[in-house]
Amino acid sequence: MVAIQSSRCLPGFVAAATMFCSVAYAAPFTLDEAIERVARVHPELKIFDSRQQLIQAQMRSADLKPALSVGVEIENFGGNNAYSGVREAEYTLTLAGVLERGLKREARRAVAARRLDSVGVERAARELDVLAEVSRRYLDVLEMKARQPQLQQAVQRQQELANALRERHRAGGVTESVVLAVEAELARLSLESDQAAQQLRSRWQYLAALWGEVAEPKNIPDLPSLPQGLTALAPFEEIVSKIKNIPDIEIFASADRIHEAQLRLLESERRRDINWEFGVRRLEGDASMAIVAGISVPLGQALRADIETAAERTRRQANRMERDALILELESLLIQVYGALQRDQQRFEVLGLNVLPKLKMAAERGMSALQEGALTYLELSQMQREWLAAERDQLAVQISILKNMIEMQRLTAEPLSTVSNRSGER
């Protein structure tokens, strides 16, 4: 499987996405391989390693005790008369520090640990975005690959029709204008087929840019075919229940935990620290030595902590409200995606079982009928155009289904469907 750290959602996403690009008889360039290449080099994923290292450094800093300081104090020098120069100067050497109270060190460590956890959650969410983009671009490549044989077959059918009408024209059966119209349609279809091949290379280049290959491709690797079957969706209630556990929502839960740890740190800040100082003084008058010591306590610390605590609680409440708003937005989006999937699946099934087979049979029999004089050129040409249009329609619906599946997997961070045995011909 793909080697991306800290992603509990990645394996499921890849498994579901690979569902529509795996075949048993060959080793084509699969979606898994595309994801692996992107995962190794994509800067939006690698940046989280640097962020993780930065917060780990902050954790080590938070675990440090307050630093000690050494000071030297010189008195009674640089004056006038007896105190000119340094002959009467007195020297004091001190060691000072802060005695922290209220478990502040532990609270700082907790805040840093929560921030480190949030990096993993943010990375998982960003991974889903990147993987969804890889899947969409990969699917665009497969769509163009599937379109090529449709166009090639349409060109072949049009060529057969043009040859037949050319023979009839020589025999005086049709006018030259009919032949020219058929040949013009043949040229248009040939051009569309050539442009489809160019667009396949362009879409592959667009996909390869995600792992850093921006040059125009000389060769495109073998690619798998789209599946012939439909997908079986889980009940909507089961799917929508997964939204609250996706990384996008977990980010807010992680932020809430950071706010909670920050509030505990602010609560510990209410306990006043004690600044202490200890040293030795040399008395120049009789060359004696004496010990000096002192403590100090800052004032107004609790008031500042109260103000910051109120602000932190407000930020925490706002974070929870944003989370609830995002859940509502995602649920609404999921309703739209789920409904579109149901409609597309129904259309795909009807096209595959009822529409395409009949149009194919009609067009194939139409050529014999044309040669027998039972069918006109315009009627056969219309049949062939409807056949090609239905093939395009089915392919477009199939791509729409798969893209909506990608979107649904992005919304739930889990595979939701499996290929069924119901098949529709393309």
Side-chain angles (χ1 to χ4, degrees):
M1 197 53 67
V2 183
I4 299 183
Q5 300 175 355
S6 71
S7 176
R8 59 184 177 83
C9 56
L10 175 59
F13 190 97
V14 174
T18 308
M19 173 190 66
F20 62 78
C21 66
S22 59
V23 290
Y25 59 83
F29 185 88
T30 64
L31 177 60
D32 289 45
E33 295 178 65
I35 289 175
E36 285 187 55
R37 293 189 181 188
V38 173
R40 287 196 298 265
V41 301
H42 204 285
E44 291 190 30
L45 299 181
K46 296 178 72 67
I47 193 173
F48 286 98
D49 294 333
S50 300
R51 288 185 56 188
Q52 190 174 35
Q53 294 173 5
L54 175 61
I55 295 181
Q56 287 173 344
Q58 293 174 348
M59 287 184 66
R60 292 192 294 270
S61 176
D63 195 41
L64 296 175
K65 297 179 180 180
L68 299 176
S69 60
V70 176
V72 177
E73 183 177 341
I74 305 176
E75 298 179 357
N76 301 331
F77 76 99
N80 57 11
N81 298 328
Y83 293 98
S84 62
V86 296
R87 294 183 57 186
E88 298 297 326
E90 296 182 349
Y91 302 91
T92 304
L93 178 64
T94 60
L95 179 66
V98 178
L99 179 61
E100 284 189 325
R101 303 172 66 221
L103 301 176
K104 294 183 179 64
R105 181 182 171 195
E106 289 76 6
R108 288 195 303 271
R109 283 203 303 252
V111 171
R114 291 289 180 261
R115 287 176 177 166
L116 184 62
D117 293 340
S118 72
V119 172
V121 176
E122 291 174 15
R123 177 177 183 139
R126 191 64 196 118
E127 282 173 355
L128 281 177
D129 291 335
V130 173
L131 296 181
E133 179 62 19
V134 175
S135 299
R136 283 189 287 266
R137 295 192 189 187
Y138 183 86
L139 187 56
D140 287 340
V141 175
L142 293 188
E143 177 187 11
M144 194 52 58
K145 175 181 179 293
R147 186 176 297 176
Q148 284 187 310
Q150 291 180 351
L151 291 170
Q152 290 168 358
Q153 291 171 10
V155 169
Q156 183 179 356
R157 293 193 296 265
Q158 193 70 14
Q159 183 67 62
E160 292 173 356
L161 178 59
N163 294 338
L165 290 176
R166 176 63 67 178
E167 290 296 327
R168 291 190 63 183
H169 170 63
R170 290 170 182 168
V174 295
T175 64
E176 187 178 12
S177 61
V178 172
V179 178
L180 293 175
V182 172
E183 290 178 345
E185 178 66 12
L186 174 61
R188 188 191 65 80
L189 287 173
S190 299
L191 174 62
E192 189 174 351
S193 179
D194 293 339
Q195 289 181 334
Q198 295 175 357
Q199 195 169 359
L200 175 61
R201 292 192 294 272
S202 177
R203 290 189 179 187
W204 172 262
Q205 186 178 8
Y206 188 51
L207 170 65
L210 288 174
W211 59 77
E213 295 181 9
V214 296
E216 185 175 355
K218 296 181 179 178
N219 296 302
I220 297 177
D222 291 336
L223 297 168
S225 300
L226 293 169
Q228 298 295 311
L230 293 177
T231 57
L233 292 177
F236 179 77
E237 293 76 11
E238 178 182 338
I239 295 175
V240 76
S241 65
K242 302 176 186 293
I243 283 182
K244 295 182 180 179
N245 299 321
I246 66 173
D248 299 78
I249 302 301
E250 185 62 26
I251 287 175
F252 289 95
S254 178
D256 189 74
R257 289 189 289 269
I258 293 176
H259 290 311
E260 182 182 3
Q262 192 71 35
L263 286 171
R264 287 198 295 268
L265 176 59
L266 291 172
E267 182 63 27
S268 69
E269 294 287 349
R270 295 175 59 86
R271 299 288 300 275
R272 295 186 178 93
D273 297 335
I274 298 177
N275 301 316
W276 57 267
E277 186 178 62
F278 181 85
V280 177
R281 175 174 294 175
R282 180 179 182 277
L283 303 174
E284 186 61 29
D286 55 1
S288 299
M289 304 291 290
I291 294 176
V292 295
I295 61 172
S296 62
V297 178
L299 300 177
Q301 193 165 337
L303 178 60
R304 286 191 294 271
D306 288 341
I307 296 173
E308 294 176 4
T309 298
E312 191 66 26
R313 285 175 178 165
T314 301
R315 287 191 289 267
R316 187 181 188 186
Q317 184 64 26
N319 176 73
R320 292 178 175 178
M321 294 174 65
E322 290 178 15
R323 173 185 179 273
D324 294 341
L326 181 59
I327 289 177
L328 289 176
E329 181 182 348
L330 294 178
E331 287 175 345
S332 299
L333 180 58
L334 187 59
I335 290 173
Q336 295 177 340
V337 172
Y338 194 86
L341 267 173
Q342 290 179 316
R343 293 190 299 272
D344 285 344
Q345 286 186 338
Q346 183 182 18
R347 185 174 183 84
F348 181 84
E349 191 170 40
V350 171
L351 285 170
L353 296 179
N354 298 327
V355 178
L356 271 171
K358 294 178 181 179
L359 287 174
K360 179 180 179 181
M361 186 180 300
E364 289 175 346
R365 293 180 180 179
M367 181 60 71
S368 299
L370 177 69
Q371 294 173 346
E372 295 172 359
L375 196 69
T376 66
Y377 146 71
L378 291 177
E379 290 171 332
L380 178 57
S381 182
Q382 180 66 24
M383 290 179 185
Q384 291 184 345
R385 282 196 296 268
E386 289 181 359
W387 182 9
L388 178 59
E391 287 181 325
R392 287 173 170 172
D393 191 11
Q394 189 191 42
L395 177 59
V397 170
Q398 189 175 21
I399 295 300
S400 177
I401 289 173
L402 295 175
K403 286 188 175 181
N404 279 322
M405 285 177 55
I406 292 171
E407 184 64 25
M408 188 173 293
Q409 291 156 14
R410 175 63 188 90
L411 290 172
T412 59
E414 293 186 14
L416 300 172
S417 51
T418 56
V419 175
S420 72
N421 292 325
R422 297 176 294 170
S423 297
E425 292 185 4
R426 286 191 291 104

